[in-house]
Amino acid sequence: MTGSAGDRREPPAPPAALLAGAVADGLRTGGGRAGGLYLCSGTPGLLRLAVLSGLPGPLFRPWDRVSVDRPFPVADAYRLGVPVVLANATEAMRRYPQFAAGLPFQFGALNVPVGAAGRTFGVMTVLRPAAADAAAVLAESDRLQRVAEYLGVALLRREAAGDGVTWDAEPLCVRPPAVDRAPGRFGHLTWDPATDAVTADGPARTLLGLPADREPGTLAALTRSVDPADAHRLPALLRETAHGRPPPQPVQVRLVDGGLRLLELWPSAAAAPSSGPRPVTGVLLDPGPGALADGAADLLPEGVFCLDRLGLVVYANPRAAHLLGVPRDRLLGRSLWDAVPWLNQPACEEHLRGALLCPEAVHFHVRRPDFRGPRPYDTGSRDSRPGRDRPTAPRPYEGDWLSLAVYPGLDVLTCTAVPANRVPHAPAAAGAGAPTAAEPPVDVEAGTPAPDLGASTAPPYRPIALAIALTEAVTARQVSAVVMQELLPAFGGRRIAIYLLQERHLYLAWESGFPEGFLAPFEGVGLDARLPGVETLTTGRPLFFDSMEQIAEAYPGIPMDAAEGARAFLPLIASGRAVGSCILGFDRPRSFSSEERTVLTALAGLIAHAMEKAQRYDTEAALARGLQQALLPRRLSQHAGVETAGRYLAGTEGMEVGGDWYDVVEAGDGLALVIGDVQGHGVQAAATMGQLRSAVRAFALGDRPPEEVMAGTNRLLIDLDPGQFASCCYVRLDPATGLARVANAGHLPPLLRHPDGRTHVADLPEGMVLGVDARAHYAVAELRLEPGAVLALYTDGLVERPGHDIDDGIGALRAALAEAGALRGRSLADMADRLTATARQASDRPDDIALLLATRRDPPP
């Protein structure tokens, strides 16, 4: 541990071709059109999605990280080492309600652990059509297990060879195996970097504009078939892919004749000589209108566009581009969310997930943004032949509604779009979100006023979705943020205010969207005030107002803001106890249906319980922080021959308090330097830390030998709190000679920087952590601290980062200590600040940090 810790490198992740190929085999054998592969990450207890097939990445982002302790089918398959088979949505809801609430669609799921020889690397999951019961999918489950076993053996071989088997990157999004692709739309090509040979099948040659009987031959010949503007990119993309770095999404390539193609590249799974470049496999796709019914849909008056299973737009007729407000050449070949950002909203994502996972069509409404100016794209032309779009003068418009229908296919989703005020009568069975009544067929483009669409047309919000999100919120601010992120988009609200009750007065805990200073007069109002936010709490009844005029009539003289929209006042009551009130604001007048009122009332109860829990947490956290600050040393013992400096940083997650501590204690004619770390966080960890610190101080003040200090503290911890563990490093320093005698109880070894700049990790015997074995013996090692040398004691929060080896963190601290110590004229306190600067600025410290530095001063002349 003294010389090479900073030079170690993480082994590369498993090759993309191996993982993607296994997922493709899993989908074929498991009868699914979507699925993926989870692998262990560098963070203990966390699985990360390595490959996602058949679903766009943005639609599956909430599930790309799964804790192995979470009640989730993938987590159970990994933790228990057995397949988890969910035949249908009913079975999923019975066994995994959180999973089913997040994906409430009629599909089944097969989850099989990936491993070999008793080692589990991850889980393969396949999403398939729903079946009557588990027996109906057992055959697919058995076949999927064989695929997972094959992948497990391959990963075991990589591990034995010292290669990486974990995943810490974003998931690879790949296409599922083709089922109903039309002939000529897709082609395959390969490039061998060793020979520079390029081969292509017949469809690929056709798509490249080459004669059907002639191979491209070489990379240079292939490059000549594309537009000169793209000619430089193609060789670079192929070479990057050959070295294991394929582009994450298909790339656009223009041909010499201007035709657009999409190219998806993967390195071959075959081993390359001397770890050199691998052969490259490519899939070529024509997204143009000629590939879909010869462009017949171009002539339809409705908007029509098609998405592949990665969410890329592979076709759009001119009317769809017009309604979506995006030129057609900016739609084709791009992700729907990149091309049309205003479709990136929870309700729309929910429906698209349903269409990708289920065979039934879905129908829903979506509101276009309120553009204050000309349409971003408006041809105004009905001549839809290529090259014949005749633009007219742009026309200003405000946001209006579209009715979208999505018809799922095995490889392509077909979507239609029409203005919402032209929707014919449609039965409710047409799909989730289908209108229950049609609006009159008024032509918006002719200037006729549109009907009032102020009422929500989104599908009913499921209270369990908010409940799941609230389980992750701990503090009152986190609860408020979840409410804002979940509720406002779901109901079309723009403003929110949450008040909490303290000593019969309401105080603002969170607000968003209200004019600056508008809420100030309501701060600290008593429960006798006649205000809707007060009355909803005192009566326990929610209050709904369709407009601000209704509020003014019910509460004359109440301060009003400029908005004329609706308001909802919800009481926050948990277990019969008043917690506060929640106010939702809307920009426009609107009515609340009886269903919406029921759902909002139920959600208020969930919010109240979460707030009540958060208030208890905040109280305990404040107590723990106060306890910890009281227990940490306010000043360090001084000695004429030694300078010391200590720093403590609380973690930013969880309770934000832990059991790290440091101390400097007079020990006879010397000094005792101590650092320790109690397992866990919260009040219990802080209390245990205080007891251990007191015990070590008592032993040190008696100048007991280091081995006796550790042994006595160990026995005390076992007597005080069986099951609680702690690490500790105790250094007894003689300032006159520089001799340091060190006993270590499972703690990270100190760093020693010599006056000449050499820095190394102290070589200490590894002792048992405190609290495990009452008979544990602690050996003592000796170090020599020369004048000007610096001894650094630290806890793991300073050197440990998720996904990285702790030795790398220790090596980085060594380098920082060497650099900081080279700055002449700076105090030890300045050095401590420099060593903790990066951690101090980080917003995601998962653990608290303690650092103690000591140096011998030069003896007086």
Side-chain angles (χ1 to χ4, degrees), residues 240-338:
E240 286 286 310
T241 303
H243 286 87
R245 298 184 295 274
Q249 294 283 354
V251 294
Q252 296 186 20
V253 176
R254 294 276 181 183
L255 302 184
V256 173
D257 62 6
L260 176 66
R261 301 291 183 264
L262 297 178
L263 183 59
E264 186 174 6
L265 299 172
W266 292 103
S268 170
S274 303
S275 301
R278 303 171 183 269
V280 175
T281 299
V283 176
L284 201 64
L285 163 69
D286 176 9
L292 288 167
D294 296 324
D298 282 5
L299 306 177
L300 295 176
E302 294 85 7
V304 178
F305 60 99
C306 298
L307 308 175
D308 71 2
R309 297 191 71 88
L310 292 187
L312 300 180
V313 181
V314 296
Y315 168 74
N317 70 356
R319 182 60 173 159
H322 171 78
L323 291 173
L324 295 176
V326 181
R328 186 156 68 159
D329 60 356
R330 287 173 50 195
L331 276 173
L332 296 178
R334 297 184 64 193
S335 162
L336 180 64
W337 297 271
D338 291 338

Side-chain angles (χ1 to χ4, degrees), residues 129-459:
D133 52 44
V137 294
L138 286 181
E140 287 88 347
S141 177
D142 291 341
R143 290 195 292 268
L144 184 62
Q145 286 186 70
R146 289 194 288 272
V147 174
E149 289 168 1
Y150 173 83
L151 177 60
V153 170
L155 294 177
L156 188 66
R157 290 172 179 163
R158 284 184 57 84
E159 187 177 55
D163 294 329
V165 293
T166 60
W167 191 269
D168 284 288
E170 293 299 310
L172 301 170
C173 297
V174 301
R175 283 179 170 71
V179 173
D180 61 354
R181 290 175 176 167
R185 287 183 56 213
F186 290 85
H188 296 81
L189 57 86
T190 60
W191 174 60
D192 187 347
T195 63
D196 196 37
V198 177
T199 60
D201 60 13
R205 291 195 288 268
T206 301
L207 292 173
L208 290 169
L210 301 173
D213 58 349
R214 194 179 77 195
E215 293 280 3
T218 64
L219 180 56
L222 177 66
T223 304
R224 287 194 293 271
S225 67
V226 304
D227 186 274
D230 289 337
H232 70 285
R233 292 195 308 133
L234 188 56
L237 287 169
L238 288 167
R239 294 189 182 102
E240 286 286 310
T241 303
H243 286 87
R245 298 184 295 274
Q249 294 283 354
V251 294
Q252 296 186 20
V253 176
R254 294 276 181 183
L255 302 184
V256 173
D257 62 6
L260 176 66
R261 301 291 183 264
L262 297 178
L263 183 59
E264 186 174 6
L265 299 172
W266 292 103
S268 170
S274 303
S275 301
R278 303 171 183 269
V280 175
T281 299
V283 176
L284 201 64
L285 163 69
D286 176 9
L292 288 167
D294 296 324
D298 282 5
L299 306 177
L300 295 176
E302 294 85 7
V304 178
F305 60 99
C306 298
L307 308 175
D308 71 2
R309 297 191 71 88
L310 292 187
L312 300 180
V313 181
V314 296
Y315 168 74
N317 70 356
R319 182 60 173 159
H322 171 78
L323 291 173
L324 295 176
V326 181
R328 186 156 68 159
D329 60 356
R330 287 173 50 195
L331 276 173
L332 296 178
R334 297 184 64 193
S335 162
L336 180 64
W337 297 271
D338 291 338
V340 193
W342 52 269
L343 286 178
N344 186 14
Q345 49 185 282
C348 184
E349 292 182 354
E350 184 90 344
H351 289 295
L352 288 174
R353 271 194 293 267
L356 285 160
L357 294 173
C358 303
E360 295 82 12
V362 296
H363 302 258
F364 60 99
H365 291 83
V366 63
R367 187 165 193 165
R368 294 190 285 191
D370 188 1
F371 294 100
R372 300 293 181 178
R375 290 180 187 265
Y377 173 61
D378 188 355
T379 65
S381 173
R382 290 289 181 263
D383 187 352
S384 58
R385 288 173 292 172
R388 300 295 182 89
D389 287 343
R390 295 192 298 272
T392 61
R395 293 173 305 204
Y397 83 121
E398 293 186 358
D400 49 10
W401 293 80
L402 292 180
S403 177
L404 296 181
V406 184
Y407 302 91
L410 292 177
D411 290 320
V412 175
L413 301 181
T414 302
C415 311
T416 63
V418 295
N421 59 340
R422 293 181 178 175
V423 178
H425 288 277
T436 57
E439 296 83 4
V442 182
D443 192 345
V444 169
E445 295 180 3
T448 308
D452 180 14
L453 290 175
S456 173
T457 57

Side-chain angles (χ1 to χ4, degrees), residues 769-815:
V769 295
L770 305 175
V772 175
D773 184 0
R775 297 168 298 178
H777 173 72
Y778 297 94
V780 175
E782 294 186 351
L783 304 174
R784 183 70 63 177
L785 196 64
E786 306 168 70
V790 177
L791 184 67
L793 308 178
Y794 52 94
T795 58
D796 55 4
L798 187 60
V799 294
E800 191 170 33
R801 291 293 179 271
H804 295 81
D805 194 298
I806 195 170
D807 286 347
D808 292 341
I810 294 174
L813 181 61
R814 279 183 55 205

Side-chain angles (χ1 to χ4, degrees), residues 830-842:
D830 291 335
M831 185 184 299
D833 288 336
R834 290 180 62 85
L835 294 178
T836 56
T838 301
R840 191 181 303 276
Q841 296 167 5

